[in-house]
Amino acid sequence: MKPKDARTSSAMSRVRQAKTAPEERVAAVLRELGIAYRRNAKTLPGKPDFANRSKGWAIQVHGCFWHQHDCKRGTLPAHNREAWEAKFARNRARDVEVDEALKKLGLSVLTLWECETRQPTRLKETISDHLTSVALPTTINHRL
């Protein structure tokens, strides 16, 4: 999709694709929790933002605008509306495909939204709770 004007083009050229502020906040929490991870694991479908294949989890950090979260940042631009709608529809469809592919590999997928990363305490709780639930054993050994 080609931007309609120079201002839009300039703004879009400054959008980072890796190591964004929300991703950096998640990385800081993972380090604080002492969790080992790989960033943008190329061997996994969709190159999840964070993953630990041996522990069975992946974390996707979605930008509210680009992935159309239901919050104030998930807006639809007024100019070139049809092209944006098509772009966002492709993004959402790809998100579903990637999540399904990761789950088929046995990974538990946590999707975090950009707006959720702005609350450090809640972010730490969410990540900790998810990774704890992944680590729980699926069978219980009873001692006789």
Side-chain angles (χ1 to χ4, degrees):
M1 182 175 78
K2 198 167 190 173
K4 224 174 181 179
D5 60 24
R7 194 183 90 205
T8 302
S9 181
S10 175
M12 287 179 67
S13 72
R14 291 189 303 272
V15 175
R16 296 177 127 211
Q17 292 185 3
K19 292 197 174 189
T20 62
E23 288 177 15
E24 290 299 305
R25 289 190 284 265
V26 172
V29 168
L30 290 170
R31 283 191 302 274
E32 186 179 334
L33 294 171
I35 306 294
Y37 61 87
R38 293 254 185 238
R39 270 191 124 138
N40 307 109
K42 293 175 184 158
T43 58
L44 293 174
K47 296 189 289 185
D49 299 308
F50 302 93
N52 186 319
R53 195 169 191 166
S54 66
K55 300 291 183 188
W57 58 265
I59 297 176
Q60 298 278 38
V61 183
H62 288 333
C64 295
F65 173 76
W66 294 105
H67 298 268
Q68 289 296 280
H69 188 220
D70 187 24
C71 72
K72 69 179 182 178
R73 295 182 186 275
T75 59
L76 187 62
H79 297 288
N80 208 9
R81 196 174 193 89
E82 287 178 11
W84 282 107
E85 287 172 343
K87 165 86 174 134
F88 294 148
R90 286 192 309 274
N91 287 355
R92 287 190 302 271
R94 187 174 48 251
D95 293 342
V96 170
E97 290 169 11
V98 167
D99 282 359
E100 288 173 358
L102 291 169
K103 288 174 185 174
K104 279 185 183 177
L105 291 174
L107 299 176
S108 175
V109 180
L110 172 63
T111 299
L112 295 170
W113 292 96
E114 174 185 4
C115 61
E116 294 173 333
T117 68
R118 295 175 185 279
Q119 301 166 347
T121 306
R122 190 166 176 205
L123 176 63
K124 186 176 179 180
E125 261 179 45
T126 301
I127 292 171
S128 182
D129 289 349
H130 181 77
L131 297 182
T132 300
S133 72
V134 172
L136 292 175
T138 54
T139 60
I140 299 172
N141 296 324
H142 295 283
R143 289 185 129 174
L144 297 177

